[in-house]
Amino acid sequence: MNVFDAHTHFFGREFYEHQAAQAPDESPESALERIRAGGLHVPGPDAAAHAARWNAELDRHGVARVVLFASAPAEMAAVGGVAAESNGRFVPFCVVNPMAPATIEALDAMQSRFQFRGLILFPAMHDYSIQAPEVTAALEVAKAHDMVVFVHCGKLRVGVRRFLGLNPDFPSDRSRPRDLAMVARAQRDVAFIIPHFGSGYFDEALDLAAACHNVYLDTAGSNSWAAEHSPPLSLTEVFQHTRDAIGTDRILFGSDSGVFPRGYRTDIRDAQTAAMREAGYDDDDQAAVLGGNLARLLGD
């Protein structure tokens, strides 16, 4: 398989330090130890060593390339640096918070060196409306640097937070696909990616993507939300309904890989490949979803 995964997280040392700093009344090192005690590997400070581990994982599982997220602004330099040394295997996307202009300024300053290809927005995590004026300013930066824009909609869980006594779940009312509709129509020269088929707002995500041809859907993760859909959906039905609504050329495969020791999630790839076959996707459709669509979107 020539897999180009649209959704993986680097989760380097800076990410875990960022999470640890939010633990109440606890030293950062103590908080990191609690994360380790929960069974997760916390990388050392050498980002290149962590990137080498990712490279070995991708080799082992036959994955050609991945979009690699800097999942917190603190990770920007680390992810940008390892991507720059990866000969194109890691394609860097970075999280910014439009309510914290310093994160946008940091991206702008680093762009000539690291060439981030995507800008990631988490309205629920950072508590803002996707229709806020500050978001428009962030989109102007994305356009200036020819970046796609990833907008997390629906349910959002940052699992590592539970080891720190923090609520891992963020409210979803700030991040519904229908709220993105006005923005996507106004910014037709920006390509938007919604992950996890809308993560619990599947019907809204399909309606949005059907109406706005600059909206793409990624398939990332287990899509456990489908069992709570009314009526409940199988993964095969999710792929069927998506193809019926928007075709197959704006569906992007994502594994949502990130944490070690679990490593790369071949279980997700295998389940989604099987679901596509059952849904009637032919070889060309599957090749497009598993990487061709993303390569075309990014101009690679």
Side-chain angles (χ1 to χ4, degrees):
M1 292 184 190
N2 188 26
V3 175
F4 186 0
D5 191 323
H7 190 137
T8 70
H9 300 264
F10 186 58
F11 285 163
R13 178 78 175 200
E14 292 83 358
F15 170 79
Y16 287 103
E17 288 179 342
H18 171 73
Q19 299 300 328
Q22 299 175 58
D25 305 319
E26 188 167 13
S27 70
E29 188 51 48
S30 173
L32 289 176
E33 190 54 43
R34 288 177 65 187
I35 294 171
R36 295 186 189 99
L40 298 184
H41 171 73
V42 177
D46 184 354
H50 191 49
R53 187 175 192 181
W54 269 119
N55 260 315
E57 273 291 282
L58 300 182
D59 288 343
R60 187 160 68 94
H61 294 292
V63 178
R65 304 175 70 198
V66 297
V67 165
L68 195 63
F69 291 176
S71 304
E75 269 198 307
M76 275 189 205
V79 169
V82 301
E85 297 297 321
S86 73
N87 197 29
R89 189 174 210 182
F90 301 145
V91 177
F93 282 26
C94 62
V95 168
V96 297
N97 178 1
M99 301 298 111
T103 66
I104 310 279
E105 293 164 6
L107 163 65
D108 213 19
M110 294 180 186
Q111 186 64 3
S112 62
R113 180 180 175 192
F114 296 136
Q115 298 181 344
F116 292 100
R117 304 294 300 280
L119 182 150
I120 304 172
L121 301 176
F122 280 102
M125 181 185 295
H126 295 130
D127 192 26
Y128 61 85
S129 166
I130 194 64
Q131 298 175 2
E134 292 85 353
V135 173
T136 302
L139 296 180
E140 291 303 318
V141 172
K143 287 193 286 188
H145 296 303
D146 195 26
M147 301 168 76
V148 302
V149 177
F150 173 106
V151 182
H152 194 287
C153 295
K155 295 180 179 180
L156 173 61
R157 169 171 289 184
V158 181
V160 66
R161 288 168 58 90
R162 70 181 185 274
F163 301 126
L164 303 172
L166 301 170
N167 186 353
D169 297 310
F170 293 85
S172 60
D173 58 348
R174 279 294 206 182
S175 55
R176 298 189 62 156
R178 68 186 185 193
D179 297 331
L180 181 59
M182 183 171 69
V183 178
R185 291 190 183 102
Q187 302 280 352
R188 293 186 183 275
D189 51 348
V190 175
F192 294 91
I193 301 172
I194 297 177
H196 315 294
F197 292 106
S199 192
Y201 293 112
F202 180 53
D203 298 327
E204 285 187 22
L206 290 189
D207 288 345
L208 172 62
C212 299
H213 289 186
N214 56 332
V215 173
Y216 293 69
L217 302 181
D218 98 17
T219 71
S222 65
N223 293 295
S224 58
W225 57 264
E228 301 173 9
H229 186 272
S230 182
L233 297 171
S234 68
L235 188 56
T236 296
E237 289 171 321
V238 170
F239 275 99
Q240 287 173 332
H241 293 327
T242 304
R243 179 194 55 203
D244 291 346
I246 66 170
T248 59
D249 61 350
R250 285 183 287 135
I251 307 173
L252 311 176
F253 164 73
S255 68
D256 203 11
S257 299
V259 299
F260 284 96
R262 182 175 64 189
Y264 190 78
R265 301 196 65 182
T266 50
D267 59 325
I268 298 297
R269 183 183 67 190
D270 293 346
Q272 293 192 11
T273 301
M276 282 191 278
R277 285 197 300 268
E278 292 169 3
Y281 287 50
D282 64 23
D283 289 347
D284 289 341
D285 292 332
Q286 291 185 55
V289 173
L290 289 167
N293 292 337
L294 180 59
R296 186 186 70 253
L297 173 61
L298 296 177
D300 292 353

